[in-house]
Each structure stands twice: as C-alpha cells, then as structure tokens.
Amino acid sequence: MTTYITTPIYYVNAQPHLGHAYTTIVADTYSRFKRLCGERVRFQTGTDEHGDKIVKAAENENVPPRQYVDRISAQFRDTWPLLQVEADHFIRTTDAEHVAVVRAILQKVYDSGDIYFDEYSGLYCRGCERYLTEKELVDGNCPDHQTPPQEIAEQNYFFRMSRYQVPLIEHIRNNPDFISPERYRNEVLAFLSEPLTDLCISRPKSRLTWGIELPFDDKFVTYVWFDALINYLTGIGYPDGQDFQEFWSVAEHLIAKDILKPHAIYWPTMLMAMGLPLYQKLHVHGYWNVDDTKMSKSIGNVIRPKELVEAYGVDTLRYFTLREMSFGLDSSFSYEAIVARHNADLANDLGNLFSRATTMVWKYRAGRIPTPSGASEEDRPLREAAQAMLREYRQTMAEFRFHLGLQAIWELVGLANKYIVGNEPWALAKDVEKTERLDTVLYNLLECLRLLTLTLRPIIPGAAAKMAAGLGFDADDMLVASLDKGGAWGLLAPGGELTAISALFPRIEGKTDESGEKIKEERSQSKKQKDPVMAEVDLVDFHYFQKLDLRVAEIIAVEPIKNSKKLLQITVLAPEERTIVAGIAEHYRPEELIGSQVVIVANLKPAKLMGINSHGMILAAKFLVDGKEKLVLSRVQERVAPGCKVA
Ligand code: ME8
C-alpha cells in the first residue's frame, strides 16, 4: 500500500504562521500514521513563488523578487524541522524542473484545443489573484480581502474549463470520498449547479513579468494558479519519473477551505484536459481564528509557530492543534487553551500515568519488567479497552478525525490511571502473598504504556521516542513502531529493563496578563533526579507553595444544602467567621463535624456553589475503597487557636 499526501504550497509573501503550521502538522501526522501502518509514503510541501502579490511584497521590501522569494521560502523550509515535520520533498515553483513541466503541460493543453485567446473584462481581486463574479461580492468587496475588486479589460488566454463541468459533477457524485468532510463536497456541488465559466490562465507581461512565460506566446506569463497546482505532479517526477508511476494514483491533497475552489474545480478539470486520472481525495479543514477572525497575514493577527515551540515545546503544539480542532470546522486559538491542554492532558493525565507506573516498577522491581501470571479475568476490561482504543484509533486517524483518535487514546490513559488507584500496587507491595498480583498489575500498566507510545508516535514523535526509551525500547523496535507487529496485547517481554528518563511534560506555571494578549510563561523544569523513583515527581517551586494560605479552622456550624446530596454548608472560625461549601455530605454527618479543627486553603477565590458563596476549601485525604471514593478530613492532632497558619 502507498500514500501520497501534499500540503498547499504556501505563498512567500509572508512568514509561516499557525495556519500553515496546522496543515503541515496534519500532513506530517498522517504520513507518520500511514508509515506506522506499514505503507510506503511520499509527503510533499513547498512554496508558491510567482504572481502579483509576491512582486508587491518584494517591492515593499525593496528587493528583487528572486532574492525575496529565496529568503521567505527558506523560512518555510527551516520552520518545518522545528515542528518535527519530515517531508520527503520541498518543492518551489521557481525550480527549473517545475517551470519546464508547467510549460510542457500548457503546450499540450493548447495543442489539444483547450486553451484559446480572447478579450475579457471583469472584476479582478489582487489578493485572490483572480476575477470575481458579481455574485461573490459582499457589499461590493471581495469577501476574503474586504477590498473592492478592480475593473480590468484585457486580452488573455483562457482554459476551456466549462467543457469539463459535466464530467466533474459526475466524478464527484460517483466518488463520495473525493472531497471531504461532506459539507465541502456539498459546497462544490452547489457551486457546480450554476454554469461554469472558462478560466483566464495568462497575465500580459505589460502588467506582470514575475511568472512562467507561456510557451506559445512570449508576451504573457502563466496565471499563478495554473502554475501552482501543477506542483503536485512535478514534485513526484511527472511525466516519466518512477515516483510519479507509483504515487500519482493515490494522491491526497490537504488544504483549508480558502482554496477549495482551485483544488476542487480548476485542478480536476485541468487534469481531465491533460488526460490524467484525478487525485484520489481532497481533505479540507477550517480556519484557526483569533477572537472569531481568521488568522491571516493580511489581517495581521498571526501567531508564529516558532514562538509557540519555544514557549511550550513542539509536542505540546502538535498535540494541541490536533486535539483542539475538529477537522473541517473552525477553531479558536488562545494561549490559555494551549496551557490548559498541556497541563491537564499531557502533564496530569499522560505524564503522571507514565511517571507513576514506571516509578513503581523502579521501586518494587528494580526497573525490570515483571512476569505477569496469566490473563486474569479481573484485568479483562483493561485489555479490551486497549484493543478497542487501537481499533478506534486506526479508523479515526485514517479518516482525518484526529481529535477523536486522541480522545480514544486518552480514554485508555484515564482507565490506566484508575487501574492504579483501584489496584493499589503500594498495598500489594506490602503483602508477600500478593507478589504475583503486583507483578501482573505492573506488567499490565507497562503494556498500556507501550500501546500508548505506539499510537502517539505520529502525533507527538518527540515525546513518544522518549517514552519508548523509558520503557527500554529502541525507537525503531517494531513493538513500538508498527501497528501490525506491535498492536496485540501482551507482547512486552518480561525481564526487560526500563531506562530512567526526566519528566515527559513538566507543568507550565505562570499566567496570562490582563489584556490576554501577551503572556509570560515559565516552564517549571523539574531537575533530573539521581534516584529513579523520584525522577518523575512533578516538582513545584517553593514560591508557589508559599502563595497558599493554609490555616486551621474550627467548625462551629454545619447545615445540609437543599437539593444536594454531596454538599454541606459549613461555618468555621479561621479566626474570622466564614462559610465554606464542602463536598463531604456522603462521608460525614453534620453532628460529627461540629467542634473539629480542620485544615483549609484560606486564600482561594470565592466560588458560588448551589447559590452559596464559599470562601475556601477544606483539605481531605481521598482514596478508593472497594471501588468507591472515600474522604477523610485533615485534622490537627492537638487543639490550637483557630486561624493558626499551617506551614
Ligand atoms: O493559498 N487557518 O497559499 P497561502 C488554517 N499558494 N489554515 C490556514 C490559515 C488559517 N487561518 N491560514 C492559512 C495559497 N492556512 C496558495 C496555495 S496550492 C497549489 C497553492 C493554511 O500561503 C491552509 O492550509 O495563502 C490554507 O489553505 C493555506 O495555508 C493557504 O496558504
């Protein structure tokens, strides 16, 4: 099986931003996923360097176009390794091979009669580099650029796109997967329900010289889209390269909805005119917005991927974008959201699971993978959940529903964390008769970690490589690098040795300032400890601890809260009188509490619970007994003055 995946080739009139980064991360993840499935993959990205707006951008910087495109193209090329994107080919439309192929194709289509010369007048948008129809305008403006188009009349060459309208409609109807998600397929079909006009594919040199000269008329250069789309062919060696033979029949293009029309209409009709089979699939995603507005260079509200990598790390950026956006729909970017995803999903759920499980293997089994005793019935739910996760993962990743693939992975993370709490390995370790059970529990946890490592490789390759190393694997060991070879349960070899690694995802502390625009973050870099048992403990700076105001409070009154089974309204002295709403009604009767001295967090922001303002929080130990949560309040052993500080 083979896969050919492409990103758009990005215009070099501005530097890469999060929108470009997203498409390219998706393509990279998909290509890594396909490789994990054992497929041969070709993944291509690149830059689009001809046309009007590139000339304008170069003029603005007072440099010749050639020099300008070299500089910005290099910025795109240099950005991708920072995001751990590994493309097989980076194409530029100024590459000599590309220029030659575009000219050959133009000549071929001209010779076959699908290109003709005509006079045309219309409404031209410089931003889009195309003529707009009256219907497309919103209040007289281009809907994408919010500027009025110019009235232009000139002689040009035209591609007989209209001739292919009916075959294109038939192709889309007969191939339900040709354009997805479905909303975009419907959009294209709706557009095609109106008569299709021919496409102007040249620009007179009097107006533009920075382009590929037409082979049959040297007074014109090629319209940038007729040039750009052909990159998908030239990059794989059209017409007679080996890769073209192997990969063109499986081509999948990935774009955002802004360039749906050129990809869903111009490109397939061009391919029909060339006598080539159409690409297999067009995958269309939505926009990254900032404050409900599309992130774009012309609006100037862009987020730079390089800065995000520096602030949060590449794995967090990749995970965040894939988890946060439902492929096909728009998504909003915010710094708060990326920090929240990092701390909750990566540091807390995944990082803690990895650290707790491996720390116990170090502590109780000196870092050696124990031998499990048979497939016990009580562990069946965990084993089945792992297999269900793999099935869901395979399907959703293949369908570009990455956020669902990640949800499936995180369900297993959650289950494995619960498995630790439910099985209390620390209690098993104290009981000599439970040695075998402890071995089995630890083994099952490590096996979960291995399957998580395997499935996370395409998404967060850096962290997954570190996880693999922590479990004692070489990165290219098939048990963590192949879904077919490593996907079954129980393949981890007992006796293997773990390797101590530093924390996978140190928490990000810090806050967003008032304006919400600029953010100052400090990554709490927990230092690598000598003792492997401590290696994964999430360390907190002393000043964070100091910020907590912990006090002894004396309970003087307790009342149940109407309509709540869990909450009690508690009045305490600390030393002033205050009300705290606490979720302990299922664990303590009111009369048991009166007179008790407990420890509270006194400087918590007030919160309203069931309509009652709560000023603080009571600390309690929390654990499971027979699968049910139990709470035991923290009390001071000797009576002290209420309000006394806890240090
Ligand atoms: O259109 N959200 O180049 P381009 C999500 N050269 N993705 C975004 C985005 C956003 N806010 N902004 C940009 C061109 N993108 C042509 C393509 S292909 C033969 C020629 C991503 O630099 C998304 O992939 O304007 C979008 O389709 C692409 O960048 C447009 O890049």
Side-chain angles (χ1 to χ4, degrees), residues 9 11 17 19-20 23 48 256 258-259 285 287-288 295 297:
I9 47 171
Y11 283 130
H17 63 65
H20 307 119
T23 317
D48 190 354
D258 52 344
I259 50 177
H285 64 77
Y287 291 149
W288 280 97
M295 185 184 303
K297 57 208 159 199

